[in-house]
Amino acid sequence: MRVLIFGGTTEGRRLARALSAMGHQVWVSVATPLGAEELAGLEDVSVLVGRRSGGEMDALLSRGFHRCVDATHPYATEATRNICAAAAAVGVEYHRLLRPASDLPAGSVVLQTAAQAAAYLAGKPGNILLATGAKELPAFAPLDPARLYPRVLPTLAGITACETAGIPHRNIIAMQGPFTRELNVAVMRTKDGGAAGGFAEKAQAAAQCGVQLIVLRRPEEQGETAETILQRCRELL
């Protein structure tokens, strides 16, 4: 069976490895060369690089694929809508691979959007460690850029987004995760960060450093676990 997986997430890579080991023909579509680098060690898995419009997704899925798995990031809601629509248009069975939600410690400030987080932080003193990604930087434009310490991917796009937002170069943290609790602690102590994202290691580091944790609520969605998807694929062998 030919399976196309969208997304370069950790869960997507694990699923690609497991499906390939079963004997399925697996392709993984990632948006950037960085995503392709993460898949370099997977044998018998073909990697396709580049962002695709809805029509381009239709064309790709039409190339003889039997199933489509959406393993994009939980916050990539537009990508999920486009992938789901493309699979429906072409008649390819669609599966949404869900990432388990993290437990948040007591005292976390939970908001819906980056804009709400920026409004909340406008009335708070101190520096801010932004672990929300380069795409969310425009939402924090009302804040003094000197307060912001964005952690972005070490790519030209990530650095350019910081420069466009007026972030001082000394504030840019260009690193690729996931990160350990110890590294998060070191970053917060060095940069006096005031806000972090919602992974367990970030939450633990924030608690250890006495930093207020601000979390953007994950969009509600329906989907399946990796094991459920694998079981359905086993039944076709």
Side-chain angles (χ1 to χ4, degrees):
M1 182 177 69
R2 290 165 57 91
V3 181
L4 176 61
I5 300 175
F6 284 95
T9 59
T10 300
E11 297 88 348
R13 292 193 293 275
R14 291 173 180 166
L15 184 65
R17 183 183 298 110
L19 289 171
S20 178
M22 283 184 187
H24 295 297
Q25 299 177 44
V26 181
W27 279 257
V28 180
S29 175
V30 296
T32 67
L34 188 60
E37 288 180 13
E38 294 296 304
L39 293 160
L42 295 184
E43 298 181 0
D44 301 322
V45 173
S46 301
V47 181
L48 307 170
V49 182
R51 300 185 186 278
R52 290 176 169 79
S53 65
E56 291 169 333
M57 290 179 181
D58 292 0
L60 180 57
L61 284 167
S62 297
R63 290 162 49 181
F65 288 103
H66 303 97
R67 291 200 174 184
C68 164
V69 178
D70 174 9
T72 56
H73 195 277
Y75 292 88
T77 54
E78 182 178 357
T80 289
R81 285 194 297 270
N82 291 339
I83 295 167
C84 184
V90 177
V92 173
E93 186 172 323
Y94 170 86
H95 298 272
R96 172 58 171 153
L97 177 61
L98 290 184
R99 173 181 294 182
S102 300
D103 294 327
L104 299 178
S108 300
V109 174
V110 182
L111 301 171
Q112 296 286 349
T113 67
Q116 290 177 355
Y120 174 86
L121 289 165
K124 305 294 182 182
N127 294 332
I128 304 162
L129 172 62
L130 290 177
T132 52
K135 289 184 178 180
E136 299 290 359
L137 277 176
F140 295 92
L143 302 179
D144 180 1
R147 296 180 60 197
L148 306 180
Y149 290 80
R151 188 159 62 190
V152 298
L153 290 173
T155 62
L156 179 60
I159 301 300
T160 300
C162 291
E163 292 178 334
T164 301
I167 305 295
H169 284 92
R170 63 178 177 275
N171 290 20
I172 300 172
I173 306 170
M175 304 173 67
Q176 182 178 359
F179 306 98
T180 63
R181 175 180 60 83
E182 292 78 9
L183 182 55
N184 279 307
V185 167
V187 169
M188 289 182 190
R189 284 180 174 165
T190 301
K191 302 299 184 181
D192 189 23
F199 294 106
E201 291 78 9
K202 297 174 188 174
Q204 293 164 2
Q208 183 173 336
C209 294
V211 169
Q212 174 65 65
L213 182 69
I214 300 173
V215 182
L216 300 187
R217 186 185 299 277
R218 284 174 52 171
E220 296 291 336
E221 60 178 346
Q222 301 295 317
E224 303 164 276
T225 65
E227 185 52 43
T228 299
I229 295 173
L230 287 172
Q231 181 56 40
R232 293 190 178 185
C233 291
R234 288 189 192 101
E235 295 168 356
L236 295 180
L237 290 175

